[in-house]
Amino acid sequence: MKYKQKIVLAMLCLVSAGQALAQLEIEIVKSEVDALPIAVVPFAWNASQPPPAVAVDEVISADLYRSGLFAPLARRDMIEQPTAPVDVRFGTWRLLNTDALVIGQIDDDGDSAYRASFWLFDVNTGEQLLALQESIGVDNLRFGAHRIADRIYEALTGTPGAFATRIAFVIQTQLADRQSYELVVADADGYNQTSLVTDGQPLMSPAWSPDGRQLAYVSFARGNSTIILQDVYTGANRIIASFKGINGAPAFSPDGRRLALTLSRTGNPEVFLYDLQSGEFTQLTRHWAIDTEPVWTPDGRDILFTSDRGGKPQIYSIPAAGGEVERITFRGEINAAADISPDGQLLATAFAIDNVYKIAIHDRKNEQLRVLSDGILDESPSFAPNGSMLLYAAKEQGQGVLYAVSADGNVRQKLVTSAGDVREPVWSPFDQQ
């Protein structure tokens, strides 16, 4: 398809993260991809309730624009606004140099839902690429618009979209007489921000469960570090580990049955496994060095972790069933805080030379290295669930900020918050509700 040929080199999907105490604003700071001209026409509002302040088409256009792959046509330039296929005149849209066209309608679907009908066309050929309906709860219209954007994105790129996902991150704010820490979850575009936990003591290392229903994180509310597992929807939580010493860096196994974590209960920071059903701990690494920041491979067979057993921190691998440790990274003085793409091919790390930390991608298949960021203290890379982009944290003028960057480095976006230090972002899995 023509569209895939135009953007196959990018193949990225940015889900821009959202609000925390102040809205996270999107600022594109780098873009080297030719964007596909697309028109998302205002959807006809036929529902009995008044239309929302922000229309469905605006949410869809904003999603596609933030991906860096699409250039939505401004409303003011739409000399026609069809809302049904019979009304479309492709010649008009060709004159407007638009390659793709989206039209739609919003109707009532019972007392508590809307029905969104939408169509996607190839303007140059007149081909209908999509004709779908979505049932959307009356209180979830924005999220429904993200789902529609995902459908459009996948139809035009061949890659599943991730606009209907979320991120979690930590915000540290200086109050008059103390520090405040918040664990925040937000929709992909920054709306529907929810503060899950607020405390005067540090919160860190959030990690999503594979079903997106739970977050494991580290809290210092009890004085010592404690790993807590919390239900995102009900708020119910339980303590996983609160031993003397270090309890940190939780990471869910792909099947959601176990956590990998770092404990110093045996004297030295080591990687342990925790069975969420039986409550049993199994020590995985045994070394005099510091072993920390475990992350599972997508197939669940191996665990990668950061260790300084070679002198400086690098990424190592060990079978989840136990066995020999293998060093994975060799380029750069330091590699830490690894994350793995869903296909297992790409490894993202905080990569340092001369104490300057940047986000780097290690291609495990082709043995290539790409540095994606340009800061001096960049950290905490986290892949989008479709593997096409990463979130990471950076320091600018003493304040923590978030960036999102495509896995090929062609598009980078800054997510700016007006209050507090934003840190330790982690992208959710695909929505499974």
Side-chain angles (χ1 to χ4, degrees):
M1 180 183 292
K2 170 176 115 168
Y3 299 121
K4 295 178 184 176
Q5 292 171 348
K6 280 191 172 184
I7 55 184
V8 68
L9 294 178
M11 271 311 167
L12 55 99
C13 171
L14 171 64
V15 181
S16 300
Q19 267 173 304
L21 299 181
Q23 184 176 347
L24 291 174
E25 301 171 358
I26 310 303
E27 175 190 351
I28 296 182
V29 296
K30 181 180 180 183
S31 180
E32 297 177 357
V33 179
D34 291 333
L36 182 81
I38 187 170
V40 184
V41 177
F43 283 27
W45 186 264
N46 304 322
S48 56
Q49 295 296 319
V54 179
V56 169
D57 63 283
E58 293 179 297
V59 176
I60 296 169
S61 291
D63 282 345
L64 296 175
Y65 173 73
R66 285 192 296 268
S67 77
L69 294 182
F70 299 94
L73 185 68
R75 272 190 177 190
R76 64 178 179 274
D77 296 327
M78 298 180 187
I79 58 179
E80 295 179 357
Q81 295 190 1
T83 58
V86 69
D87 300 325
V88 175
R89 297 194 300 181
F90 292 105
T92 300
W93 301 99
R94 294 187 192 111
L95 289 174
L96 293 172
N97 296 316
T98 300
D99 287 346
L101 175 68
V102 178
I103 64 173
Q105 304 176 8
I106 304 295
D107 296 276
D108 289 321
D109 192 15
D111 295 333
S112 58
Y114 298 121
R115 183 177 68 256
S117 306
F118 61 99
W119 298 265
L120 170 66
F121 299 95
D122 181 325
V123 170
N124 295 292
T125 66
E127 179 186 0
Q128 180 176 283
L129 305 178
L130 281 180
L132 296 171
Q133 291 186 341
E134 289 274 354
S135 182
I136 304 170
V138 294
D139 296 325
N140 290 318
L141 193 57
R142 289 191 65 93
F143 204 76
H146 296 319
R147 293 203 306 267
I148 295 173
D150 282 343
R151 301 270 197 165
I152 295 166
Y153 183 95
E154 184 169 8
L156 295 176
T157 69
T159 300
F163 300 114
T165 56
R166 296 169 294 169
I167 63 167
F169 49 92
V170 174
I171 295 183
Q172 179 182 353
T173 306
Q174 178 65 57
L175 302 179
D177 57 347
R178 60 185 176 85
Q179 297 282 341
S180 175
Y181 298 84
E182 275 195 284
L183 176 59
V184 174
V185 171
D187 285 352
D189 66 346
Y191 286 81
N192 298 326
Q193 172 245 315
T194 301
S195 179
L196 296 184
V197 183
T198 302
D199 202 273
Q201 299 301 318
L203 303 169
M204 59 192 353
S205 303
W208 288 96
S209 62
D211 63 4
R213 295 198 60 87
Q214 299 180 94
L215 276 169
Y217 66 95
V218 177
S219 168
F220 283 80
R222 297 162 57 94
N224 188 43
S225 59
T226 301
I227 297 175
I228 296 176
L229 183 62
Q230 179 150 333
D231 190 296
V232 173
Y233 297 97
T234 68
N237 62 66
R238 64 167 165 145
I239 293 174
I240 298 298
S242 188
F243 300 105
K244 182 178 180 180
I246 296 172
N247 304 273
F252 280 92
S253 62
D255 62 9
R257 297 178 180 178
R258 293 180 290 176
L259 284 173
L261 34 81
T262 299
L263 305 175
S264 62
R265 59 182 294 191
T266 56
N268 200 55
E270 305 281 5
V271 175
F272 282 73
L273 300 183
Y274 175 78
D275 188 298
L276 287 163
Q277 184 172 5
S278 69
E280 295 181 356
F281 290 91
T282 302
Q283 186 170 341
L284 199 58
T285 64
R286 301 177 186 273
H287 200 274
W288 52 263
I290 295 175
D291 295 338
T292 187
E293 299 175 333
V295 59
W296 298 75
T297 56
D299 59 12
R301 295 179 180 177
D302 299 301
I303 291 176
L304 307 190
F305 62 96
T306 305
S307 177
D308 63 354
R309 61 182 62 200
K312 291 186 177 181
Q314 293 290 343
I315 306 302
Y316 292 78
S317 175
I318 187 171
E324 296 295 320
V325 171
E326 176 187 1
R327 182 169 169 175
I328 299 298
T329 56
F330 292 89
R331 301 175 66 179
E333 294 175 1
I334 292 175
N335 283 281
D339 195 29
I340 307 173
S341 62
D343 63 5
Q345 180 172 331
L346 303 180
L347 178 68
T349 67
F351 172 89
I353 296 178
D354 295 331
N355 290 322
V356 174
Y357 286 81
K358 301 180 184 294
I359 302 303
I361 289 283
H362 306 256
D363 191 316
R364 303 178 69 191
K365 182 178 180 180
N366 301 322
E367 297 184 354
Q368 296 177 341
L369 175 73
R370 297 192 301 275
V371 176
L372 304 185
S373 67
D374 62 357
I376 61 172
L377 196 60
D378 301 336
E379 60 183 9
S380 303
S382 176
F383 274 102
N386 61 5
S388 60
M389 288 200 86
L390 297 97
L391 285 170
Y392 68 92
K395 279 285 187 181
E396 292 184 354
Q397 299 180 343
Q399 180 172 326
V401 297
L402 300 186
Y403 275 89
V405 62
S406 62
D408 58 15
N410 282 332
V411 174
R412 188 171 67 249
Q413 294 188 339
K414 181 181 179 181
L415 314 179
V416 186
T417 180
S418 61
D421 287 327
V422 186
R423 58 185 62 175
E424 298 196 80
V426 59
W427 221 308
S428 81
F430 284 115
D431 177 55
Q432 298 185 23
Q433 295 188 66

